[in-house]
Amino acid sequence: MTDSTLEARIDRLESLDAIRQLPAKYALALDMRDMDAMVSLFPADVRVGKDASGRQALRAYMDRTLRSPFTGTSHHIGGHVIEFDDADHAHGVVYSKNEHETPVEGGADEWVIMQMMYVDDYVRQDGRWYFARRLPLYWYATDLNKPPVGANKMRWPGTDWAEGTFHKLFPSYAEFWAREGDHGGPVPEPAPLEKFLETMRRGAAAPRIKVRAD
């Protein structure tokens, strides 16, 4: 093993650790409503919607969003898959189980639980890793005492029930339920290194979503 290879491997390990910290830091900053800490996890030129950019614009957007409909939140980070495009760019998927105290007009507050995943892009600038982009995909949201059985699992108080996007990025889910049993074909070779997510997506485009601040 050459020195350059060893240095590259150490850099990869350090980068993995830094990227794994990002979702945990995001969850803590979001739940503690520390908007300055939260936007520091994104690059200075982060895009905010179609017409704005920059950390200040992101902070203003998140500040508005987190005042309604949530009183308090708690985000629990799950499995995290990370793959590198090159030394300074990576992408990944991380699970998140969230709880929200949600005021209801004219009634008692409700406790809404949500299961989702984030599809992330990461970038390293000036030696520091940031979120380049976060795409939230939702499976369900419902009152703690009302399990979301059936269709349209996104069930926020005071809103029409809607379908989530949790499975939309990966064709395998719809294909599994569209057939009656094992497809009978050969088992493919394992995905190439850094291509696990790409192989699972099989060219599927990101779904169109209505983003919530989670």
Side-chain angles (χ1 to χ4, degrees):
M1 181 181 296
T2 66
D3 290 341
S4 60
T5 301
L6 178 59
E7 290 174 0
R9 290 168 67 92
I10 292 173
D11 179 67
R12 180 59 52 89
L13 290 173
E14 291 178 342
S15 293
L16 281 168
D17 186 64
I19 292 171
R20 288 191 182 108
Q21 290 284 322
L22 287 173
K25 291 176 179 177
Y26 180 91
L28 180 62
L30 202 66
D31 293 337
M32 298 302 110
R33 300 300 190 268
D34 190 331
M35 297 297 96
D36 287 326
M38 191 277 295
V39 300
S40 74
L41 303 174
F42 294 81
D45 60 350
V46 58
R47 292 292 303 168
V48 184
K50 295 181 180 179
D51 303 317
S53 63
R55 292 178 181 140
Q56 188 170 4
L58 179 60
R59 187 182 63 194
Y61 168 77
M62 294 298 294
D63 189 277
R64 291 191 304 271
T65 302
L66 288 169
R67 295 184 186 280
S68 176
F70 315 128
T71 301
T73 57
S74 179
H75 290 69
H76 306 266
I77 305 304
H80 194 178
V81 179
I82 302 165
E83 295 177 348
F84 286 83
D85 305 309
D86 56 44
D88 295 319
H89 298 84
H91 58 275
V93 167
V94 58
Y95 275 57
S96 185
K97 185 69 171 287
N98 312 330
E99 303 191 16
H100 312 74
E101 186 176 12
T102 306
V104 179
E105 185 175 355
D109 291 0
E110 294 190 23
W111 198 269
V112 177
I113 58 173
M114 172 189 285
Q115 179 63 59
M116 62 174 295
M117 70 173 73
Y118 293 99
V119 180
D120 292 333
D121 292 321
Y122 313 105
V123 61
R124 179 162 57 178
Q125 296 180 354
D126 299 324
R128 183 185 293 269
W129 282 97
Y130 298 100
F131 291 115
R133 179 173 181 263
R134 303 211 84 186
L135 175 68
L137 302 182
Y138 307 105
W139 186 20
Y140 65 76
T142 188
D143 183 272
L144 180 64
N145 297 310
K146 301 173 184 176
V149 176
N152 296 328
K153 297 181 184 296
M154 295 297 295
R155 303 176 185 180
W156 288 97
T159 66
D160 294 333
W161 292 3
E163 183 183 10
T165 52
F166 190 74
H167 303 99
K168 298 296 184 182
L169 200 64
F170 303 101
S172 56
Y173 189 81
E175 292 170 357
F176 179 88
W177 292 110
R179 63 178 186 261
E180 295 184 357
D182 181 74
H183 61 69
V187 177
E189 292 295 319
L193 185 65
E194 311 294 358
K195 298 291 186 180
F196 182 83
L197 295 175
E198 179 180 316
T199 301
M200 284 192 65
R201 288 182 64 171
R202 286 186 268 135
R208 297 177 64 86
I209 60 170
K210 182 177 180 180
V211 177
R212 303 192 68 93
D214 289 293

